[in-house]
Amino acid sequence: MTVRSRRVDYSESTRQALVDSAVELFTKRGYAGTSLDEVAKRARLTKGALYHHFSGKQALFEAAFDSVENAFMRKLGEIVSAPGDPWDTAIAGLRAYVRVCLEPSYQRIVIHEAPVVMGWERWREAEEHFSYGLLRSTIEVLITSGELEQLPVETMARLLFGALSAGASTIAGAADPRKASAEVERTIVRVVEGLRVTEPPPRVIPERSRSRRR
């Protein structure tokens, strides 16, 4: 290992330590209740080291947001891309996403804090970067495999993405998040089941075959 590679590894591990510290503190105390001094102290680093990697508190929050999203989307991606029946894996991924909305870090950082700290437009762009692409690709697989009706992929993905986002907000804002999660899960699965192809398309008999039958 060269001196340069050791420096790169150290720099990456330092940055990750700061991000991990930020995720923990933002989850517990929120954006307003967390100071950069506390983040650096918990990571056992100096504030100077923090400013070497991040321009300020918002930049650190966005890194924490990306870390949380990446972790959960990676898990969901593994579920929906697992071998097996496309419908079963897609529904498993859908249920898993609803359960993710109960995770404290996802709920606090991604759902509650991010729209305020990052701004609505920036937050929506980030959400589309992470979860929308996964949802869209899953819908494409279901249509290709004949599980879903041949409806416009983009329109279907946008509508379901909106429903999932609304469900996430419902769970995060509920007095009883677990009860809300069960209700959201049951409802969104029922909606998707309504789009499922339940019967094979009618068989088209060639004109020549029909004339022979007469």
Side-chain angles (χ1 to χ4, degrees):
M1 182 177 289
T2 65
V3 173
R4 184 179 180 278
S5 63
R6 284 198 297 270
R7 286 176 179 172
V8 170
D9 286 346
Y10 177 75
S11 178
E12 289 177 351
S13 64
T14 298
R15 186 183 188 280
Q16 190 59 52
L18 290 165
V19 171
D20 291 343
S21 175
V23 168
E24 185 175 348
L25 288 170
F26 286 141
T27 299
K28 289 181 177 179
R29 304 179 187 177
Y31 184 78
T34 299
S35 71
L36 294 180
D37 287 324
E38 289 175 307
V39 173
K41 183 179 179 181
R42 184 174 289 271
R44 296 182 179 180
L45 294 165
T46 65
K47 198 171 179 180
L50 188 152
Y51 277 114
H52 175 74
H53 291 279
F54 303 102
S55 59
K57 191 174 177 180
Q58 181 164 341
L60 179 59
F61 178 86
E62 293 195 17
F65 172 92
D66 288 349
S67 177
V68 172
E69 281 277 29
N70 273 313
F72 286 118
M73 288 306 112
R74 186 163 53 249
K75 290 180 181 178
L76 294 179
E78 290 173 358
I79 292 172
V80 298
S81 62
D85 181 77
W87 178 261
D88 291 340
T89 55
I91 294 299
L94 196 63
R95 295 183 189 277
Y97 173 77
V98 175
R99 290 194 293 272
V100 161
C101 297
L102 289 171
E103 294 290 338
S105 60
Y106 193 87
Q107 196 172 111
R108 186 69 180 268
I109 294 175
V110 175
I111 302 174
H112 279 304
E113 300 277 356
V116 178
V117 177
M118 299 166 61
W120 180 261
E121 290 300 324
R122 171 77 182 87
W123 175 68
R124 292 299 295 176
E125 288 174 4
E127 279 289 88
E128 291 203 5
H129 171 73
F130 287 105
S131 48
Y132 177 75
L134 181 60
L135 175 63
R136 193 183 192 284
S137 62
T138 301
I139 289 172
E140 287 179 334
V141 169
L142 290 176
I143 290 177
T144 302
S145 62
E147 293 288 353
L148 287 182
E149 292 187 30
Q150 293 282 344
L151 296 171
V153 174
E154 187 70 19
T155 301
M156 194 186 304
R158 290 284 173 191
L159 291 174
L160 290 177
F161 181 69
L164 287 171
S165 297
S169 297
T170 298
I171 295 167
D176 186 344
R178 291 196 174 279
K179 179 182 178 183
S181 174
E183 292 174 349
V184 168
E185 180 179 324
R186 186 168 65 251
T187 302
I188 196 67
V189 168
R190 184 67 187 89
V191 168
V192 176
E193 285 176 342
L195 298 169
R196 192 179 188 187
V197 175
T198 55
E199 297 179 2
R203 183 182 176 190
V204 177
I205 302 174
E207 186 66 31
R208 184 178 299 178
S209 297
R210 286 202 297 267
S211 62
R212 289 177 179 175
R213 291 182 180 182
R214 292 171 187 169

